[in-house]
Amino acid sequence: MIPRLAQSDLLQRLAYFPAVALLGPRQAGKTTLAQLVQINVGRPSVYFDLERSSDLAKFQHDPVLFLEQFANQTVILDEIHRLPNLFPDLRGLIDRNRLPGRFILLGSASPDLLKNTSESLTGRIAYVELTPFLLRELPVADYQTHWLRGGFPNSMLAPTTDISVIWREDFIRNYVERDLPQLGLPASPTQSQRLLTLLANQQGGLLNQSALANALQVRNPVMTSYLSFLEQAFLVRRLQPYYTNVGKRLTKAPKLYLRDSGLLHQLLRLYDTSSLFGHPVVGGSWEGYVLEQIIPLLRYDQLPFFYRTADGAELDLVVESQGKIQLAVEIKLSDTPTLSKGVTVALQDLGNPPLLVVTPSSVTYQLRQNVTVCSVVDLPDQLAKLLH
């Protein structure tokens, strides 16, 4: 079993909060991680899979009476969105016996989609996001395979490329046809598949919502709801632009990325590195892949943005904390990177913060003062040094 970085966050919150929600996309390893921490919570525990009809039936008659018998145990409820009416009952159970670590709730949707958690369990619940495998978590740091296959355990750890491709194809089909409608996405499976494919072809581009709406033949407000839903289901990342008072015209549209590179490549039918490098999306794919190795490692008070002006000054990522840019990041698909004038100007606009240039496999070195070049494998160590 591969240790997950989120495990320490989960245990930390279980030691204080009565309920902890472990959220992330399906098949990211939530159930495995929850069962792993069962032995570390300091009390007996019981697990219920609410997608299993036999477990779901136990909560149909009197869920409060049923759960009261586990007052001294940690109760793990998997796929909690299947029982949205349970949240007020959980609040009552917690208020009558407010012990830390009473409930672990597993779900494939963000707190915004699980609105009942925020409304019913305010002050009683903490959230932990579990992503698919980060490169940092893998016992062998093979970035090429990880980039190509993505981080979902069943795809990354598949014994052959063919098995990985088959798993990802089935995953996308099941997510589009079953999971997204269950979570509440009003789009048809055909619309969802087409939208995901459109986003894949525009990986890392600025959002043009009207163009997407026209392509899908839906109204603009409908497209707004679709994109928000995909973001809250952990499939899409919306990276916002950074605004400053520098007296320049700044880009206002966000960038959109499919979060898992393996699903991106599956949607585009890119099954090996030669086809990937021959496709126009390769640069956007690498950029999105590296961003997903960075953003999950940021602290809660370190916020990610990109920076771009109408004059061409641009940085792929800037990290803000306490109103100041702590770090800038440029992502290069080359082990011999050079910096454009636009990068230099952007750094000057932002007060010349440290710049980290991330490459596929370069050794770590100083390109110039305050500019460090590193590989994606060494990226976490460099982040730890530069982000205090």
Side-chain angles (χ1 to χ4, degrees):
M1 186 178 297
I2 297 176
R4 305 304 304 270
L5 296 178
Q7 181 174 339
S8 60
D9 291 338
L10 182 57
L11 289 171
Q12 178 196 51
R13 288 158 178 75
L14 285 170
Y16 180 78
F17 289 91
V20 178
L22 181 61
L23 306 177
R26 279 187 181 273
Q27 301 296 316
K30 298 185 297 295
T31 302
T32 302
L33 178 56
Q35 292 175 339
L36 179 64
V37 304
Q38 279 183 282
I39 61 176
N40 296 310
V41 294
R43 64 160 69 93
S45 60
V46 59
Y47 170 84
F48 298 102
D49 181 356
L50 299 180
E51 289 214 318
R52 188 182 300 156
S53 58
S54 58
D55 281 356
L56 186 62
K58 297 170 183 176
F59 294 85
Q60 299 305 312
H61 177 59
D62 190 337
V64 173
L65 181 63
F66 176 70
L67 287 171
E68 279 180 338
Q69 65 183 307
F70 306 111
N72 296 316
Q73 300 185 47
T74 293
V75 178
I76 302 172
L77 299 172
D78 204 344
E79 298 301 342
I80 187 63
H81 65 273
R82 297 296 301 274
L83 276 180
N85 296 328
L86 186 61
F87 293 107
D89 294 331
L90 295 180
R91 180 184 60 191
L93 288 165
I94 288 171
D95 289 347
R96 288 195 294 273
N97 186 19
R98 195 181 177 98
L99 295 175
R102 285 200 65 188
F103 296 99
I104 302 176
L105 311 178
L106 310 184
S108 303
S110 72
D112 288 340
L113 283 181
L114 294 175
K115 289 182 180 178
N116 285 310
T117 61
S118 57
E119 294 172 358
S120 301
L121 298 179
T122 301
R124 305 165 180 86
I125 190 168
Y127 299 94
V128 176
E129 181 183 341
L130 182 69
T131 69
F133 282 136
L134 302 177
L135 183 62
R136 177 72 176 269
E137 295 175 311
L138 298 174
V140 178
D142 177 1
Y143 82 86
Q144 290 180 322
T145 300
H146 187 232
W147 176 28
L148 187 65
R149 295 185 178 188
F152 283 95
N154 286 326
S155 175
M156 177 58 207
L157 303 178
T160 66
T161 298
D162 286 347
I163 296 299
S164 176
V165 168
I166 291 169
W167 183 88
R168 278 180 276 144
E169 186 66 25
D170 289 343
F171 177 86
I172 292 172
R173 183 174 62 252
N174 289 332
Y175 221 99
V176 164
E177 293 181 358
R178 187 194 70 160
D179 297 335
L180 291 178
Q182 276 187 3
L183 290 171
L185 180 65
S188 70
T190 300
Q191 286 178 313
S192 297
Q193 177 84 31
R194 189 175 178 196
L195 177 56
L196 288 171
T197 303
L198 286 170
L199 294 176
N201 278 287
Q202 301 171 25
Q203 177 79 343
L206 295 176
L207 170 61
N208 185 336
Q209 187 167 298
S210 297
L212 289 174
N214 290 336
L216 230 62
Q217 297 183 325
V218 299
R219 293 180 295 110
N220 209 43
V222 174
M223 181 55 63
T224 297
S225 68
Y226 286 3
L227 293 175
S228 296
F229 193 98
L230 293 176
E231 185 179 11
Q232 293 164 18
F234 305 104
L235 292 178
V236 168
R237 183 177 297 282
R238 191 190 310 243
L239 188 64
Q240 297 290 348
Y242 183 69
Y243 293 97
T244 63
N245 295 319
V246 296
K248 296 190 175 185
R249 291 186 297 127
L250 301 175
T251 297
K252 296 181 179 180
K255 288 184 176 183
L256 286 188
Y257 300 87
L258 291 181
R259 292 184 58 170
D260 183 74
S261 58
L263 298 187
L264 168 73
H265 299 152
Q266 189 70 27
L267 286 163
L268 297 177
R269 300 294 184 253
L270 304 175
Y271 303 134
D272 53 44
T273 53
S274 62
S275 59
L276 173 58
F277 274 86
H279 196 281
V281 83
V282 62
S285 171
W286 177 248
E287 184 176 311
Y289 171 73
V290 174
L291 288 176
E292 289 304 318
Q293 308 313 305
I294 297 174
I295 294 175
L297 299 180
L298 300 180
R299 297 194 313 262
Y300 68 91
D301 61 337
Q302 295 170 335
L303 304 178
F305 302 91
F306 74 95
Y307 180 79
R308 179 184 290 183
T309 72
D311 298 329
E314 182 175 8
L315 290 162
D316 294 328
L317 181 71
V318 294
V319 179
E320 182 201 47
S321 181
Q322 301 178 5
K324 179 182 177 182
I325 297 299
Q326 282 193 309
L327 178 68
V329 178
E330 270 293 287
I331 300 167
K332 300 290 189 180
L333 189 54
S334 168
D335 285 333
T336 55
T338 58
L339 299 184
S340 67
K341 180 181 177 182
V343 169
T344 301
V345 171
L347 290 170
Q348 293 171 349
D349 290 346
L350 299 174
N352 289 310
L355 174 65
L356 187 61
V357 182
V358 184
T359 70
S361 56
S362 172
V363 296
T364 300
Y365 66 96
Q366 292 297 120
L367 182 62
R368 66 188 194 204
Q369 185 177 6
N370 224 25
V371 177
T372 303
V373 177
C374 75
S375 70
V376 69
V377 173
D378 291 337
L379 169 61
D381 292 334
Q382 294 303 315
L383 285 176
K385 290 179 182 178
L386 295 169
L387 289 175
H388 306 297

